[in-house]
Amino acid sequence: MSETLQNTNTTTAAASDEAILEVIERLALDAGRAVMEVFHSEIKVTDKADASPVTQADRAAERVILEGLRSAFPDVPCVAEEEVAEGIVPPELGQVFFLVDPLDGTKEFVRRHTDFTVNIALIRGGAPEIGVVYAPCTGRFFSGRPGKAEAFEARDGLAVSERRRVHVREGRQPLTIVASRSHRTPETDAFIKKVAAAEIVSVGSSLKFCLVAAGEADIYPRFGRTMEWDTAAGDAVLRAAGGITHTLDGAPLVYGKRNQADDEDFANPHFVSTGRILDPAFMF
């Protein structure tokens, strides 16, 4: 199943993981260009129904991505943050669908910080199997498909460096933790204290997953609100690099969660993402 989309349409069923990744990498680069056009001009901020901010960059990037995905893979459902905010959700997801966060870290973007990202992921059977994370302001680009995660630098929608394979590292205590810059919680602080980390790196957006994937950190704990589009692409890169994201009961985080008894569709529980931790027992 890892080599095809496994949908009924023959054009999508024949697409290899490599071909799918090529499409979503190009769309992420194109969306990044749209984001940076706004970043270098006037940013207009409005509030969505849940009081979270949205800008014209979010909408422009999402439009670029969805038009491209729906053209290349017309029978694969797309779940995208801004469409969901407007009540546009596929009635059925099936086993294979895309999750899109066109601008993760909107608050960072509005403050003109640099670590906001464009995120696209393909979900198969509840797991994030293919994903890209692009930070257009810094040029960092991470991509992953089953068994292979890579990083390179990109500027103005073009790759400007050679690709390099990335892998999680073998973490030994004391460990390096990446934590949210904008969403630190008392639970996160308690976890960090329990782990007795050597270093705490604060960074915004889905880059936290990618730092663990690239062996620059060991653990990313998240004891706060996230939605599936926030995490899927980074999680895909992490899993491709040999890591994993667990819920607090030790089970892998799954995607496509709907009709949840205690939360809304696509909301995530708390989780911990890790590289190759030699003694993970203390985390759960």
Side-chain angles (χ1 to χ4, degrees), residues 16-282:
S16 68
D17 286 353
E18 186 175 0
I20 297 164
L21 189 58
E22 182 178 353
V23 170
I24 65 175
E25 284 184 355
R26 170 47 52 194
L27 292 175
L29 290 168
D30 291 346
R33 251 197 321 269
V35 167
M36 292 308 295
E37 288 177 6
V38 177
F39 187 77
H40 292 305
S41 62
E42 181 183 359
I43 301 174
K44 300 176 182 177
V45 185
T46 57
D47 287 336
K48 294 187 283 190
D50 64 359
S52 63
V54 62
T55 72
Q56 70 268 45
D58 298 76
R59 296 190 174 99
E62 184 166 293
R63 184 164 55 251
V64 167
I65 294 166
L66 291 180
E67 287 177 357
L69 290 178
R70 287 166 175 160
S71 175
F73 311 110
D75 56 354
V76 181
C78 298
V79 178
E81 179 178 13
E82 305 313 328
E83 280 200 342
V84 172
E86 296 173 3
I88 303 171
V89 188
E92 298 293 336
L93 295 180
Q95 290 295 300
V96 182
F97 63 96
F98 288 105
L99 276 167
V100 175
D101 188 346
L103 180 52
D104 186 41
T106 300
K107 292 179 181 178
E108 307 298 325
F109 177 80
V110 171
R111 295 168 185 156
R112 299 194 188 273
H113 294 164
T114 62
D115 48 6
F116 50 86
T117 57
V118 175
N119 302 265
I120 309 170
L122 179 73
I123 309 302
R124 291 193 185 110
E129 290 209 347
I130 302 176
V132 299
V133 175
Y134 176 37
C137 202
T138 64
R140 299 195 80 176
F141 198 112
F142 296 89
S143 69
R145 58 184 174 88
K148 187 176 184 179
E150 296 181 310
F152 59 92
E153 302 298 314
R155 291 274 188 260
D156 300 322
L158 298 172
V160 296
S161 74
E162 295 295 323
R163 292 172 179 266
R164 60 182 178 88
R165 293 286 294 270
V166 294
H167 307 273
V168 298
R169 68 189 183 192
E170 289 190 353
R172 296 176 173 86
Q173 288 184 296
L175 302 167
T176 299
I177 290 182
V178 282
S180 176
R181 174 180 292 140
S182 303
H183 304 284
R184 282 282 285 272
T185 64
E187 294 90 343
T188 304
D189 291 335
F191 179 89
I192 291 170
K193 184 177 180 180
K194 179 175 70 171
V195 172
E199 183 180 5
I200 302 171
V201 179
S202 293
V203 64
S205 74
S206 53
L207 287 171
K208 294 181 283 291
F209 289 99
C210 299
L211 295 186
V212 178
E216 298 176 32
D218 301 299
I219 306 176
Y220 163 37
R222 186 57 184 260
F223 296 88
R225 182 72 165 176
T226 61
M227 304 299 287
E228 292 183 11
W229 45 80
D230 297 319
T231 62
D235 196 4
V237 173
L238 174 62
R239 297 189 197 202
I244 190 64
T245 296
H246 286 108
T247 57
L248 300 189
D249 60 3
L253 181 64
V254 298
Y255 292 81
K257 300 181 293 295
R258 305 187 81 170
N259 302 312
Q260 301 189 83
D262 56 353
D263 212 335
E264 64 184 284
D265 287 1
F266 308 113
N268 286 325
H270 296 170
F271 62 81
V272 179
S273 297
T274 69
R276 193 174 295 111
I277 304 300
L278 299 186
D279 182 16
F282 66 89

